[in-house]
Amino acid sequence: MESRSPFKGDILRGKVALLTGGGSGIGFEISAQLGKHGASIAIMGRRKTVLDAAVSALQSQGIQAIGLEGDVRKQDDAVRVLESTIKQFGKLDILVNAAAGNFLVPAEDLSPNGFRTVMDIDSVGTFTMCHEALKYLKKGGPGKDSSSGGIIINISATLHYTASWYQIHVSAAKAAVDSITRSLALEWGTDYDIRVNGIAPGPIGDTAGVSKLAPDEIMKKSIENQPLYKLGEKWDIAMAALYLASDAGKYINGTTLVVDGGLWLSSPRRLPKEAVKQLSLAVERRSRDVGIPKSKL
Ligand code: COA
């Protein structure tokens, strides 16, 4: 169900955004919402059919959009896609690194090449895109004034905050992404006025991530243990991206915003709430009756 944006429709008017992995899933919803709030959109992806469908969906909503074929693992593709974006729109204000690879696999069955593949897409790909985009995003870059630079948003995850079953590769890759976010925020925030932040989505309904990684029955069980008791929507992630990309986020740099309803903090409830209240009352009474301090019980 489409929710209405709480942001004004012109908060990104005149801005240009490039999104890797922006043709499907969470990346596409971010493309659409940045576009609906005034930005021109360039989408980079590996599959032409996905790009074409995404671009026509954006254009049908009155958004200026182009699709550019490319793989973030190839530096030449990164250079070419950035040049095409500048050629088409004259500048770059916002880079969103949303391209990612994922699959469930026990660590013992994952080949080093499988591990490397995900590191290459998520971590090295994110760095490559940032590296090649620097000259366009920095203050004084094409179409920019000499005092304000652009914005980078890296899509991360919460998997590595603890440890996640069968996702050693993605956990390692996203830990590296978060580290890249902080290092670039420090260096490029200081030198070039580029704000670099991340977003760590929890399980988001209607995405390849959830359907590939969590079969229905597992998802149902996991929702029971989730603080807000529901899956997130792609829209929730797109709103976080708008917040970070707009002036509302102008003092936010080096942060990875967790948008998971509190899930990564959660653990199964061991006692029903009523039982805890009773237990707590019983302890109070015992301490009063015996006359010893609670701390000594
Ligand atoms: N289980 C175990 N290993 C796997 C695997 C799986 N499900 N899928 C791929 N691999 C391994 C391959 O075996 C190979 O290693 P090997 O050479 O030692 O055998 C390595 O990963 C590369 O696989 P390949 O199929 O050549 O990579 P690719 O570049 O074509 O695909 C993937 C990249 C594997 C990450 C692919 O899943 C992908 O791009 N998916 C789309 C994005 C996505 O899933 N998005 C959701 C984000 S949450």
Side-chain angles (χ1 to χ4, degrees):
M1 194 187 68
E2 175 88 354
S3 308
R4 250 166 58 85
S5 165
F7 296 100
K8 286 190 177 154
D10 63 352
I11 54 172
L12 296 180
R13 190 171 55 203
K15 302 286 184 191
V16 176
L18 169 64
L19 299 95
T20 71
S24 61
I26 289 173
F28 177 72
E29 181 64 16
I30 300 174
S31 303
Q33 292 296 345
L34 296 186
K36 283 181 189 173
H37 290 77
S40 302
I41 304 296
I43 294 175
M44 175 180 183
R46 281 184 295 166
R47 293 167 295 169
K48 186 169 178 342
T49 47
V50 173
L51 286 177
D52 288 348
V55 167
S56 28
L58 294 176
Q59 287 173 342
S60 71
Q61 298 176 69
I63 297 166
Q64 279 203 62
I66 55 166
L68 300 161
E69 266 182 88
D71 185 332
V72 295
R73 289 172 286 188
K74 297 179 183 152
Q75 192 175 359
D76 289 350
D77 285 9
V79 170
R80 178 179 44 76
V81 162
L82 280 153
E83 282 172 357
S84 304
T85 304
I86 301 300
K87 199 166 165 202
Q88 178 72 25
F89 295 124
K91 63 171 184 161
L92 180 67
D93 300 295
I94 302 161
L95 170 67
V96 180
N97 289 301
N102 206 348
F103 47 82
L104 283 182
V105 62
E108 68 214 44
D109 294 334
L110 177 63
S111 70
N113 192 43
F115 185 91
R116 186 182 301 113
T117 298
V118 172
M119 291 296 288
D120 272 349
I121 299 171
D122 294 23
S123 322
V124 186
T126 291
F127 178 72
T128 302
M129 291 304 299
C130 292
H131 185 265
E132 299 308 326
L134 172 61
K135 65 180 174 193
Y136 305 115
L137 287 173
K138 67 183 181 185
K139 61 185 176 188
K144 298 247 173 351
D145 64 42
S146 56
S147 61
S148 59
I151 286 151
I152 296 173
I153 298 174
N154 296 325
I155 304 303
S156 185
T158 58
L159 305 170
H160 52 293
Y161 292 178
T162 52
S164 296
W165 289 96
Y166 313 133
Q167 292 195 271
I168 189 171
H169 46 331
V170 187
S171 301
K174 295 301 193 183
V177 167
D178 289 356
S179 185
I180 289 168
T181 296
R182 287 190 292 269
S183 297
L184 293 185
L186 177 68
E187 293 193 32
W188 293 0
T190 308
D191 291 344
Y192 303 120
D193 195 54
I194 296 172
R195 287 194 292 115
V196 187
N197 291 297
I199 299 174
I204 301 297
D206 197 21
T207 58
V210 158
S211 51
K212 269 172 82 168
L213 306 178
D216 274 356
E217 63 280 13
I218 295 180
M219 212 55 237
K220 269 192 209 128
K221 244 184 145 61
S222 121
I223 290 172
E224 280 165 22
N225 290 327
Q226 188 156 343
L228 295 184
Y229 208 69
K230 59 189 169 198
L231 279 180
E233 296 169 20
K234 289 179 273 194
W235 183 89
D236 295 309
I237 307 305
M239 291 302 114
L242 271 177
Y243 170 57
L244 292 172
S246 71
D247 280 349
K250 73 181 172 49
Y251 200 53
I252 302 177
N253 190 28
T255 287
T256 293
L257 185 57
V258 180
V259 186
D260 76 337
L263 179 63
W264 86 270
L265 299 169
S266 76
S267 56
R269 202 191 288 254
R270 305 224 177 270
L271 274 178
K273 203 187 296 181
E274 277 315 308
V276 173
K277 288 179 180 171
Q278 291 310 318
L279 195 71
S280 156
L281 280 175
V283 171
E284 291 286 344
R285 273 190 222 109
R286 260 180 69 205
S287 82
R288 253 200 327 269
D289 295 348
V290 185
I292 50 171
K294 260 187 289 176
S295 58
K296 296 276 163 55
L297 281 173

